[in-house]
Amino acid sequence: MIKIFPNVLSNSQGRLNMKIGYIQSSPLFGDKEQNFEEIKNLTSNIKADLIVLPELFVTGYTFISKKEAESLAEDLEGETAQFLTDISQSTGAIVVGGYIEKDRQKIYNSAMIVSKNGVIGSYRKIHLYFKEKMWFSPGDKPLKVYDINGIKIGIMICFDWIFPETARTLAILGADIIAHPANLVLPYCQSAMVTRCLENRVYAITSNRIGEEIRGDDHFKFTGKSQITSYNGEILSSAPNDKSFIDVIEIDIQKARYKKLNEFNDLRNDRRPEFYNSIVNQKK
Ligand code: ACM
């Protein structure tokens, strides 16, 4: 038996079992202490290999000025990085969670990936939604897959789902699992993730939040229903739409590496990039 993550099992049938989960929380705008406390309580009895937290889980979402967002921003040595390192230590899991990233004069809507030893990396959301465009700079780094002890984890954030190129790129880079922190306000994503996973044969963990924020001219109701979607489009876990929630399930990573649908069709090899690559890569 090979130990990869602490809880990952590989047996003679070639399975690579891994415990993955999400936390669905209810952030209070601007109250970092309370938001950390909620996550700490929700994870107190949890052991897993990978846990995903929502987008901006520690700050809330509905800013009324860029200055306000800046005042809640952190770098990769800030309190959120330290907090997620602690959560990684207590759960045994690699943890992915959203935060406002400050880098020189810019702020980004980002998600960091953290192990018990600290921050591994950070993804800056490339497709900003609505007034996020007023507060954040768009992501300026390429999509990336993290190879952590042989498990390949890609990250995208919330509205990135509506651009199929995002999940596609992560899949072609070799992702087994897409970690997807979210603050969803539209009702389509959970269904769309079935297609994203099916067309790429990858797992996805969409970690959403619940609750409402009424700030400035904006009123958002977050849709909950965090979801783990399987490589074959099956919904393996679905949270309620109105409660903080946590779930951890076991999956076989090897299934996401087998891209054959039947003896004739392989979803990776059957692609015909010579016919569509140039169009997809053009902006207009
Ligand atoms: C969103 O991207 N948070 C809607």
Side-chain angles (χ1 to χ4, degrees), residues 55 61 125 129 132 158-159 183-185:
E55 177 184 15
Y61 181 79
K125 186 177 186 178
Y129 179 72
E132 289 175 35
C158 205
F159 193 54
N183 273 190
L184 294 163
V185 292

Side-chain angles (χ1 to χ4, degrees), residues 53-69:
L53 278 65
E55 177 184 15
L56 300 172
F57 75 94
V58 74
T59 57
Y61 181 79
T62 315
F63 307 99
I64 53 173
S65 68
K66 183 165 181 167
K67 217 176 170 126
E68 183 180 60

Side-chain angles (χ1 to χ4, degrees), residues 115-134:
S115 77
K116 62 182 182 352
N117 300 318
V119 176
I120 297 167
S122 184
Y123 163 69
R124 297 171 172 170
K125 186 177 186 178
I126 57 177
H127 302 103
L128 297 174
Y129 179 72
F130 197 59
K131 290 186 188 170
E132 289 175 35
K133 292 191 174 194
M134 293 171 67

Side-chain angles (χ1 to χ4, degrees), residues 141-188:
K141 296 197 270 189
L143 289 156
K144 180 170 169 168
V145 168
Y146 295 88
D147 182 341
I148 303 176
N149 298 329
I151 306 293
K152 306 234 174 93
I153 302 169
I155 305 175
M156 65 183 196
I157 299 178
C158 205
F159 193 54
D160 282 333
W161 71 266
I162 211 166
F163 300 90
E165 296 88 347
T166 318
R168 179 60 116 199
T169 301
L170 292 171
I172 291 182
L173 288 170
D176 301 313
I177 309 178
I178 296 177
H180 183 206
N183 273 190
L184 294 163
V185 292
L186 301 174
Y188 316 111

Side-chain angles (χ1 to χ4, degrees), residues 181-243:
N183 273 190
L184 294 163
V185 292
L186 301 174
Y188 316 111
C189 172
Q190 289 87 344
S191 311
M193 288 310 291
V194 170
T195 305
R196 293 291 97 80
C197 290
L198 191 57
E199 67 201 2
N200 292 300
R201 281 181 89 83
V202 293
Y203 293 94
I205 309 168
T206 300
S207 169
N208 195 15
R209 61 162 289 179
I210 57 159
E212 274 180 77
E213 285 180 356
I214 304 172
R215 305 195 74 249
D217 297 330
D218 296 317
H219 179 180
F220 289 118
K221 185 160 170 29
F222 302 95
T223 58
K225 288 181 164 285
S226 295
Q227 179 169 298
I228 300 178
T229 317
S230 186
Y231 68 94
N232 60 2
E234 205 181 320
I235 295 172
L236 301 175
S237 172
S238 177
N241 66 0
D242 58 353
K243 284 187 187 60

